[in-house]
Amino acid sequence: MGLLAEAGLNPGSKVLAFSDADGRIVLRRFEDSVEDLLGGHGL
């Protein structure tokens, strides 16, 4: 739970999972991914 809290994730948080080029799996907060797609204009 400490790792999740450190990443700003709570139980029930939506995440996006994808593979990194180095063979790693990356979890990203869904809201952050949407913000990036919208160019920082929010949901």
Side-chain angles (χ1 to χ4, degrees), residues 12-33:
S13 293
K14 292 183 181 181
V15 296
L16 216 72
F18 58 93
S19 174
D20 194 353
D22 294 336
R24 291 178 279 186
I25 295 174
V26 178
L27 296 177
R28 194 138 188 252
R29 287 183 301 224
F30 180 78
E31 295 84 11
D32 292 343
S33 298

